Every structure is written in structure tokens, then in C-alpha cells.
């Protein structure tokens, strides 16, 4: 099972649960009582599902945080660029401060 995708692993767990529930009588008659295993597997499956939901929520939050970060940086960069343009217009292109500013953008 090491090379199976997450989806295939989830399907396998669900299929095994369904099989053990459906075939409980035959399994019990054959000497295997699946009841305890079914309950354990149900709990583990729920934990896996809950963890997947939590992971998806965190991924969505990370995506939103990245979008916000990019937007805020863009706003800050535009403001800094406007300040550079203002200083350049005020002091002239040959001023030492303006020359320093030009080096920042290289």
C-alpha cells in the first residue's frame, strides 16, 4: 500500500469497513469476530477524515494569508516607490540621495 495515493488508501479503508460489516456472519462463522476490528477501524477512519478536513481548512487559510501578504506588500512597495519618485523630483537625478535610491532597485 506504500505507493497508493491518498484517495486510494481512503477508498480501501471504506471498502474494508463495508466488507467486514456485510460479511460479519460469514467471518464470525469462520472463527473471526470482526466486531472489535470494525469499531477500531471506524474510529481510525473518522480520525483520518477529521485530520483531512483540518488540513484542507489550514491550506485555505494559508492561501488567504498568502494573498493578503502579497496585496499588503504591493501597497507598501507602491508607497515606497512614490516616495522615491517624490525625493527624486525634489532633489534632482544627480543628488547623492537619489543615486542611493537608484541602487536599491537594482
Amino acid at each position: 500500500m506504500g505507493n497508493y495515493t491518498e484517495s486510494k488508501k481512503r477508498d480501501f479503508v471504506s471498502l474494508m469497513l463495508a466488507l467486514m460489516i456485510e460479511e460479519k456472519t460469514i467471518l464470525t462463522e469462520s472463527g473471526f469476530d470482526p466486531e472489535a476490528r470494525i469499531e477500531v477501524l471506524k474510529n481510525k477512519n473518522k480520525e483520518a477524515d477529521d485530520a483531512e478536513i483540518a488540513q484542507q481548512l489550514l491550506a485555505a487559510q494559508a492561501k488567504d494569508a498568502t494573498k493578503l501578504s502579497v496585496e499588503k506588500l504591493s501597497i507598501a512597495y507602491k508607497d515606497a516607490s512614490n516616495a522615491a519618485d517624490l525625493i527624486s523630483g525634489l532633489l534632482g537625478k544627480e543628488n547623492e540621495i537619489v543615486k542611493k535610491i537608484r541602487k536599491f532597485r537594482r
Side-chain angles (χ1 to χ4, degrees):
M1 299 268 350
N3 293 331
Y4 287 144
T5 64
E6 182 179 335
S7 176
K8 286 198 180 274
K9 288 178 182 179
R10 288 183 187 283
D11 288 346
F12 181 75
V13 172
S14 296
L15 290 169
M16 284 302 297
L17 268 170
L19 177 91
M20 287 190 291
I21 291 167
E22 277 180 33
E23 305 296 344
K24 189 179 346 182
T25 303
I26 294 172
L27 292 170
T28 302
E29 289 171 358
S30 299
F32 173 66
D33 183 5
E35 196 63 42
R37 182 70 56 114
I38 289 170
E39 288 308 309
V40 168
L41 195 51
K42 279 182 182 179
N43 289 333
K44 289 181 178 180
N45 194 37
K46 183 179 179 338
E47 289 174 0
D49 288 346
D50 291 348
E52 174 69 6
I53 290 167
Q55 186 273 333
Q56 289 175 356
L57 289 172
L58 289 172
Q61 289 174 351
K63 184 178 176 181
D64 291 345
T66 298
K67 182 180 175 184
L68 180 62
S69 173
V70 168
E71 287 173 4
K72 295 297 183 181
L73 178 58
S74 179
I75 291 167
Y77 179 80
K78 286 177 185 177
D79 193 44
S81 183
N82 288 341
D85 291 344
L86 176 69
I87 292 169
S88 180
L90 187 66
L91 300 178
K93 292 181 180 182
E94 298 307 314
N95 183 279
E96 290 303 312
I97 294 173
V98 175
K99 289 179 182 178
K100 287 180 184 179
I101 292 171
R102 280 200 299 262
K103 288 181 184 178
F104 296 162
R105 290 190 172 170
R106 290 186 186 164

